[in-house]
Amino acid sequence: MTQPLVTINDVDMRYGGADGLLAVEGLTLDIAKGEFAAVVGPSGCGKSTLMKLVTGLYIPQAGQVTVAGERVTKPVSIVGMAFQNPTMLPWRTTLDNILLPLEVVDRHRKRLRKHKVEYVAKAEKLLETVGLKGFGEKFPWQLSGGMQQRANLCRALIHEPDLLMLDEPFGALDSFTREELWCVIRDLHAAQGVTIVLVTHDLREAVFLADRIFVMSARPGRITKERTVPFARPRELELLYQADFNDVVHELRGNIADARKAA
Amino acid sequence: MTTSNINWIKLAPWLYTAGLFIVWELVVRAFAIPQFILPAPTRILEAIIQFWPAIWKNSLQTLYTTTVGFILAVVFGLGLGIAIGWSRFIYAGLYPLMIGFNAIPKVAVVPILVIWFGIGTIPAVLTAFLIAFFPIVVNVATGLATIEPEMEDVLRALGAKKMDIMLKVGIPRSMPYFFGSLKIAITLAFVGSVIAETVAANSGLGHMMLAAQSQFNVPLVWAGLIMLAVEGIAMYAVMAWLEMRMTGWAHRSQLAQA
């Protein structure tokens, strides 16, 4: 068996010193390369903490986090991140916003000036993939919320990360736009072979997109249930209205209710 | 629509200003107010024409001290604002000191400046500087302190140093705050330089007004006030123009209409 891309082994994370708030406790999970994993749970269960542990923004007090075979002790630049808030910089065009990570990541920033054309072409290709062809010269505030979130995905992918971490990226969008973006993410995952971890509170979103779903309990967060999603890929939106899809959602719904009661 | 093509909004500042002077003139005439209490605008205009060489020379002096003090305030304010926004340690240490310093009436500082530098241009420049730099510091620091945490996370996860985050996000982000604060700072700088000129100077509008007052030349005192207002409005307009020019992206609603 190949080595998993992400391993979290018995991790405790406490905020604010020795008697601070215990956010996650005994957290253990692993994610295979190329897998699409989703993490669901009641609010305040430490989903965002999980994200920050994997990206190396937080270093846990106990246990270890391993990404691509290396123990995480500092930020890992092979990760792309996207949040619910698209945080586009308003003084840059959409294209320049997408190129921002390249100005930061070490192995790209030295090449950026010389190979600008090549990188711009890449960004434009990404824009095309998410359905924003020709919008690169627009400023973010000229785009709708859904379009900004698409651009946000491009920014998370521009440096070709091995791992894409999404923290409720579609939470603030209307349901039609959300479904459109589910398909965008689904196609990106299929086309680029990137490993994706999606943190969400939308169970239908998790079941539609993920290969495997982890249910977290309320604080202190730990994995209470792991569910493999059996549906074959590529999945169509029609799947959302099928009985066995709803059975999985329903089952997860029950697990989360238990997780909340246990708290 | 059958409305005329006159842009009333654009005309409004001129109409209101003219209105103020007309009402002022009428009130002075109707109640026969003596000119040493309140001279009529026409009388002030006479004084401006009569004393023009002196007014011109002193106006330039005040404009000069104000501008130099203001430029110092911009340089120091920007530097200190970035330092405070950069480090929580510097912020925690300096903020109370700055609040205390800002609470001191600057007119009380002028005598100290006179002891150090003598009567003349330097105390006026420094007073303008001291009064104008505070809003710049606060605004720049605010711009830096309100970076979205998500943005910081995205960049830090990519291995960005504090310096990268400041250069790519923090400083551009604080520019609208900075240029906004210039509009406040420039008008405060006039207050500072005139205070100092009134207390300790041999030239400038403040000095001229004080001298005119001691000779009971009240129209000339008012002429000085009018000149100060004109200079203040002109410099404010320059700052507002600069703000639009440099950070147009922050005023997108106006841009979208244009």
Side-chain angles (χ1 to χ4, degrees):
Chain A
M1 192 189 146
T2 53
Q3 204 187 9
L5 184 68
V6 179
T7 319
I8 297 178
N9 191 10
D10 203 14
V11 160
D12 292 354
M13 178 71 208
R14 194 186 283 278
Y15 291 111
D19 32 57
L21 186 69
L22 192 60
V24 297
E25 187 179 35
L27 189 67
T28 300
L29 63 88
D30 55 65
I31 294 152
K33 197 163 172 47
E35 192 178 18
F36 198 135
V39 178
V40 297
S43 69
C45 71
K47 288 176 292 196
S48 298
T49 306
L50 173 78
M51 288 218 22
K52 290 180 179 178
L53 285 168
V54 174
T55 48
L57 290 173
Y58 293 153
I59 308 302
Q61 280 92 2
Q64 35 188 294
V65 180
T66 313
V67 174
E70 267 180 65
R71 183 156 177 198
V72 174
T73 52
K74 60 176 190 344
V76 269
S77 65
I78 60 158
V79 178
M81 286 172 112
F83 295 91
Q84 177 172 340
N85 176 358
T87 61
M88 296 272 123
L89 303 176
W91 57 91
R92 286 171 168 243
T93 61
T94 304
L95 189 75
D96 285 338
N97 264 293
I98 294 171
L99 294 174
L100 178 67
L102 301 176
E103 296 169 23
V104 171
V105 175
D106 259 338
R107 83 192 116 94
H108 291 294
R109 70 193 301 172
K110 297 186 184 88
R111 301 184 66 230
L112 185 61
R113 202 177 291 256
K114 263 191 173 167
H115 300 80
K116 183 92 186 205
V117 181
E118 174 191 322
Y119 282 117
V120 167
K122 201 164 107 186
E124 270 165 359
K125 189 139 178 288
L126 267 176
L127 277 171
E128 196 178 337
T129 341
V130 300
L132 280 184
K133 190 175 159 63
F135 283 93
E137 294 313 309
K138 291 257 190 288
F139 284 92
W141 37 269
Q142 294 171 311
L143 305 181
S144 68
M147 288 158 99
Q148 285 191 35
Q149 201 51 269
R150 287 164 201 252
N152 190 15
L153 289 175
C154 292
R155 186 178 63 189
L157 288 167
I158 188 73
H159 60 296
E160 295 178 348
D162 295 330
L163 177 64
L164 183 58
M165 303 289 291
L166 304 173
D167 190 350
E168 298 188 8
F170 315 126
L173 302 175
D174 66 89
S175 56
F176 294 112
T177 313
R178 202 179 305 162
E179 286 180 6
E180 265 174 53
L181 283 172
W182 289 353
C183 295
V184 168
I185 279 285
R186 173 198 66 193
D187 297 341
L188 281 172
H189 178 244
Q192 312 216 343
V194 60
T195 309
I196 301 181
V197 177
L198 170 71
V199 168
T200 181
H201 53 238
D202 184 340
L203 296 176
R204 295 168 74 240
E205 176 174 304
V207 177
F208 178 68
L209 288 169
D211 300 314
R212 218 152 36 116
I213 297 172
F214 298 95
V215 178
M216 279 181 88
S217 67
R219 191 170 284 141
R222 61 164 71 89
I223 306 293
T224 55
K225 173 90 185 166
E226 189 187 317
R227 176 71 159 92
T228 307
V229 182
F231 307 115
R233 291 179 185 279
R235 297 172 188 165
E236 296 304 325
L237 284 173
E238 269 309 300
L239 179 67
L240 296 172
Y241 306 100
Q242 287 171 13
D244 42 355
F245 179 88
N246 278 313
D247 289 344
V248 178
V249 173
H250 197 200
E251 181 197 320
L252 284 167
R253 177 78 190 71
N255 290 329
I256 295 210
D258 294 344
R260 291 182 61 175
K261 241 179 277 158
Chain B
M1 294 268 275
T2 53
T3 46
S4 57
N5 288 326
I6 302 169
N7 187 344
W8 289 105
I9 301 290
K10 273 222 152 131
L11 273 178
W14 305 103
L15 291 177
Y16 277 67
T17 311
L20 171 72
F21 283 119
I22 289 167
V23 170
W24 179 351
E25 184 80 33
L26 290 178
V27 167
V28 169
R29 285 178 188 237
F31 296 96
I33 300 172
Q35 73 166 27
F36 62 86
I37 302 283
L38 180 68
T42 44
R43 183 68 195 83
I44 296 170
L45 185 66
E46 261 173 52
I48 292 178
I49 295 166
Q50 186 187 349
F51 298 103
W52 181 249
I55 289 175
W56 179 242
K57 183 183 132 261
N58 288 308
S59 297
L60 284 185
Q61 168 67 17
T62 299
L63 190 62
Y64 167 68
T65 51
T66 305
T67 311
V68 175
F70 173 72
I71 291 170
L72 283 179
V74 169
V75 172
F76 279 86
L78 200 54
L80 200 58
I82 289 174
I84 284 179
W86 190 293
S87 146
R88 292 193 58 81
F89 181 69
I90 299 178
Y91 176 90
L94 278 187
Y95 214 72
L97 281 180
M98 282 182 26
I99 301 281
F101 182 78
N102 197 45
I104 298 172
K106 298 302 171 291
V107 68
V109 181
V110 179
I112 300 171
L113 294 174
V114 171
I115 294 171
W116 289 348
F117 302 104
I119 284 174
T121 305
I122 295 177
V125 167
L126 290 180
T127 315
F129 158 69
L130 290 176
I131 206 167
F133 93 103
F134 189 76
I136 301 180
V137 173
V138 171
N139 276 281
V140 171
T142 305
L144 291 178
T146 50
I147 299 176
E148 292 93 342
E150 290 97 345
M151 190 71 227
E152 230 180 316
D153 283 348
V154 166
L155 291 179
R156 275 180 51 219
L158 294 169
K161 306 276 176 296
K162 184 92 185 172
M163 187 68 155
D164 292 322
I165 295 174
M166 281 293 158
L167 288 177
K168 305 278 180 209
V169 184
I171 292 175
R173 196 177 184 291
S174 66
M175 284 301 108
Y177 296 85
F178 168 66
F179 284 106
S181 74
L182 293 190
K183 294 191 292 192
I184 304 168
I186 188 67
T187 43
L188 285 177
F190 274 107
V191 174
S193 57
V194 172
I195 284 174
E197 283 169 1
T198 320
V199 178
N202 300 320
S203 56
L205 285 174
H207 173 74
M208 184 192 82
M209 280 154 61
L210 202 70
Q213 183 229 24
S214 65
Q215 296 155 15
F216 265 96
N217 190 346
V218 180
L220 183 55
V221 175
W222 283 86
L225 287 180
I226 298 286
M227 288 310 290
L228 270 177
V230 169
E231 287 189 354
I233 292 171
M235 291 304 279
Y236 183 96
V238 170
M239 294 309 139
W241 175 80
L242 206 60
E243 184 188 16
M244 275 313 286
R245 209 41 222 281
M246 305 301 289
T247 56
W249 55 267
H251 303 267
R252 53 217 187 206
S253 56
Q254 284 104 307
L255 278 183
Q257 283 161 14

